[in-house]
């Protein structure tokens, strides 16, 4: 069925006005002590020689149907253990819209990241506490910045059918 797009979104402000936060979804929360394993946790690419206290954070976005999903995944490795938190904010867009990929990416950076970040931090923190380890702290975002993360993955298609 070919449905006409009613509105073309051209800015982050416009998309923010159209988007309503529906839910926060956890895809993965895990922790593993380094102690007690014959091999240390795997070192992420780019961690260098000393993998301790390294955090790799990925930001992904997807616009499909009436939902815009912005997902952040943090892999944190310390000398004591490895922690993973994968959390998404699900936004509803009431109108049928077309949104350029760069607007979706900027929305993910500027609007969704500050929404998701506290949930991500809490998941990593709680995993460490449950394992009896020192909780690694993810840095606080500087909200004066226009962009917090470079997108590492995104859906190419951002037009809603």
């Amino acid at each position: 069925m070919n449905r006409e797009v009613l509105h073309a979104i051209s800015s982050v402000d416009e998309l923010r006005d159209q988007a309503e936060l529906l839910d926060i979804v956890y895809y993965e929360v895990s922790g593993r002590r380094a102690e007690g394993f014959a091999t240390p946790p795997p070192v992420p690419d780019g961690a260098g020689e000393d993998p301790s206290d390294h955090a790799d954070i990925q930001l992904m976005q997807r616009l499909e149907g009436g939902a815009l999903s912005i997902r952040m995944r943090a892999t944190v490795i310390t000398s004591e253990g490895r922690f993973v938190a994968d959390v998404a904010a699900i936004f509803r867009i009431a109108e049928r819209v077309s949104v350029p990929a760069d607007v979706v990416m900027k929305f993910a950076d500027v609007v969704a990241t500050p929404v998701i970040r506290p949930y991500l931090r809490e998941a990593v923190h709680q995993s460490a506490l449950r394992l009896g380890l020192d909780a690694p702290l993810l840095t606080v975002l500087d909200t004066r910045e226009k962009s917090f993360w470079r997108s590492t993955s995104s859906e190419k298609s951002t037009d809603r059918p």
Side-chain angles (χ1 to χ4, degrees):
M1 178 187 330
N2 186 11
R3 297 189 316 184
E4 183 181 317
V5 172
L6 298 178
H7 184 76
I9 301 277
S10 61
S11 72
V12 173
D13 291 335
E14 230 182 318
L15 182 55
R16 184 186 59 228
D17 291 344
Q18 292 284 330
E20 173 190 358
L21 180 62
L22 286 182
D23 201 4
I24 298 294
V25 177
Y26 289 85
Y27 289 96
E28 181 179 358
V29 176
S30 64
R32 182 178 112 171
R33 283 179 161 274
E35 174 186 58
F37 287 91
T39 59
V43 178
D45 293 336
E49 292 178 17
D50 182 11
S52 61
D53 298 326
H54 174 79
D56 177 42
I57 300 178
Q58 297 174 317
L59 177 63
M60 300 158 275
Q61 59 273 338
R62 181 178 187 171
L63 177 60
E64 182 174 49
L68 173 59
S69 301
I70 308 297
R71 188 168 167 176
M72 289 182 76
R73 179 179 178 86
T75 303
V76 180
I77 297 176
T78 70
S79 58
E80 295 183 300
R82 179 180 191 270
F83 311 95
V84 176
D86 191 344
V87 182
I90 312 299
F91 296 88
R92 179 174 66 97
I93 301 174
E95 293 184 30
R96 291 190 346 239
V97 297
S98 172
V99 186
D102 64 319
V103 172
V104 173
M105 287 189 290
K106 191 150 198 125
F107 177 88
D109 282 347
V110 175
V111 177
T113 294
V115 171
I116 301 168
R117 183 73 176 213
Y119 294 94
L120 200 70
R121 291 175 73 203
E122 185 272 340
V124 169
H125 187 85
Q126 287 300 316
S127 292
L129 291 180
R130 287 186 180 169
L131 292 172
L133 303 175
D134 290 333
L137 295 177
L138 300 179
T139 60
V140 175
L141 293 175
D142 183 352
T143 56
R144 294 171 296 183
E145 294 293 324
K146 294 289 184 198
S147 176
F148 301 115
W149 308 108
R150 210 175 26 186
S151 296
T152 57
S153 175
S154 66
E155 294 293 316
K156 295 283 185 198
S157 174
T158 57
D159 286 352
R160 211 178 119 184

